[in-house]
Amino acid sequence: MTEDGARTETDALRGVLAAEHAAVWGYGVVGAALPPERRAEAVTAENAHRDVRDRLAALLEERGADPVLPEAGYALPFPVLSPVDAATLAVVLEDGVAAAWVHALDRATGPGVRQPAVEELSAAEVRAVRWRAAAGRSPVTEAFPGL
Amino acid sequence: MLPSSAPAPRGLSRRALLVASAGLALAAAGCTAGSGTEQRGGPEQADRLAAQVAVQEGLVAAYAAAAAADAALGRQVAALAEQAGSQLDRLRAAAPATSASSSPAADGPPAGADVRGWLRAQVAAAASAHAGVCVDQSGARAALLGSIAAGLRGQEAALA
């Protein structure tokens, strides 16, 4: 791996970490706008993003890269006032994470990053499919998540 | 989402807002196959990408076979089949040495089979194949294959 290649890959992973921070924060909003009987899926998704966030932070620390910290707060792209709004926000969150992982795939220098990237990209799209359905979107799938 | 200290620019889509919030503007511009992103890897990688064209041709044929076996299912999954076709187009564009197969593998579902389940298995197999090859590709090829693999995982979930 060249030094430039490693730096580019690390920068892309920092972008993923920033997106994961946003997703963890955003799922708190998603859950709050869902009725109690539907919050479990938001909690599961939030925990999944929290897990990825922690693993990415550890990886970046191993590399001696500057940490990416969560913002103190985020501006919602639209008011989240209903379960449909919540599902729509969840789609936005997953799409943002997917874009970050695709960028990481583009910049990755080896299988050690590509393998988790394609797995997490797929996991984000599977979650997005469920949220698109909950938001009443059709089709619920994307041909090219993150591209 | 934008950090709350930053005003939201007018005229940006919801997606663009989130992408911008995560510092990912380059992702949207730099990861599209054929968009000018550096293409690393040699002929071996190109050959493996060409093999994935055949995999995708088989999937497109599977959608057609499923629709022929179960017309109602065919109508339900028409959008997914269209997406599979779009993915095939992008793969062909990224592996320009390939040409359309005149007879892609198109074994249909066995008689009396659960057609939806059969189709779901075909989608899952194609997703696994693309994901496996993605890991050994680089640059825009890896991004394209990874994205298509993820899209097919989404289809697999939708067919469950």
Side-chain angles (χ1 to χ4, degrees), chain B residues 20-125:
Chain B
S21 77
L24 301 172
L26 289 177
C31 293
T32 303
S35 67
T37 302
E38 181 187 4
Q39 283 284 1
R40 298 179 291 273
E44 186 178 332
Q45 282 198 9
D47 289 347
R48 296 197 70 187
L49 189 63
Q52 297 317 111
V53 172
V55 169
Q56 192 70 22
E57 286 173 344
L59 181 60
V60 169
Y63 267 107
D70 183 338
L73 175 63
R75 288 189 291 275
Q76 288 175 20
V77 302
L80 277 60
E82 187 175 333
Q83 290 178 349
S86 298
Q87 291 168 338
L88 175 58
D89 292 342
R90 290 283 287 271
L91 279 171
R92 282 177 175 155
T98 62
S99 57
S101 169
S102 58
S103 56
D107 290 340
D114 166 17
V115 178
R116 190 183 189 93
W118 174 84
L119 179 60
R120 184 172 183 238
Q122 307 304 304
V123 171

Side-chain angles (χ1 to χ4, degrees), chain A:
Chain A
M1 184 190 317
T2 66
E3 190 173 328
D4 282 350
R7 188 164 51 242
T8 301
E9 178 183 85
T10 298
D11 286 346
L13 292 174
R14 295 180 79 245
V16 179
L17 181 53
E20 294 290 359
H21 280 313
V24 169
W25 184 90
Y27 266 109
V29 178
V30 171
L34 292 173
E37 66 272 16
R38 292 181 56 194
R39 283 183 191 151
E41 191 168 358
V43 170
T44 299
E46 180 178 343
N47 287 339
H49 286 292
R50 201 181 296 277
D51 178 58
V52 175
R53 177 202 66 185
D54 291 347
R55 284 188 281 128
L56 275 169
L59 174 63
L60 289 167
E61 185 176 342
E62 284 174 17
R63 294 183 174 199
D66 290 338
V68 178
L69 299 175
E71 300 291 340
Y74 297 85
L76 292 170
F78 49 86
V80 180
L81 305 174
S82 70
V84 170
D85 294 337
T88 303
L89 176 60
V91 173
V92 172
L93 297 171
E94 298 296 351
D95 284 350
V97 167
W101 277 119
V102 167
H103 185 54
L105 277 171
D106 186 66
R107 302 304 165 98
T109 59
V113 166
R114 287 187 208 111
Q115 184 71 52
V118 72
E119 290 172 359
E120 296 304 334
L121 172 58
S122 296
E125 175 58 11
V126 169
R127 286 188 294 267
V129 163
R130 298 193 187 106
W131 290 119
R132 288 186 199 109
R137 290 200 192 172
S138 180
V140 297
T141 53
E142 285 273 347
F144 304 101
L147 267 183

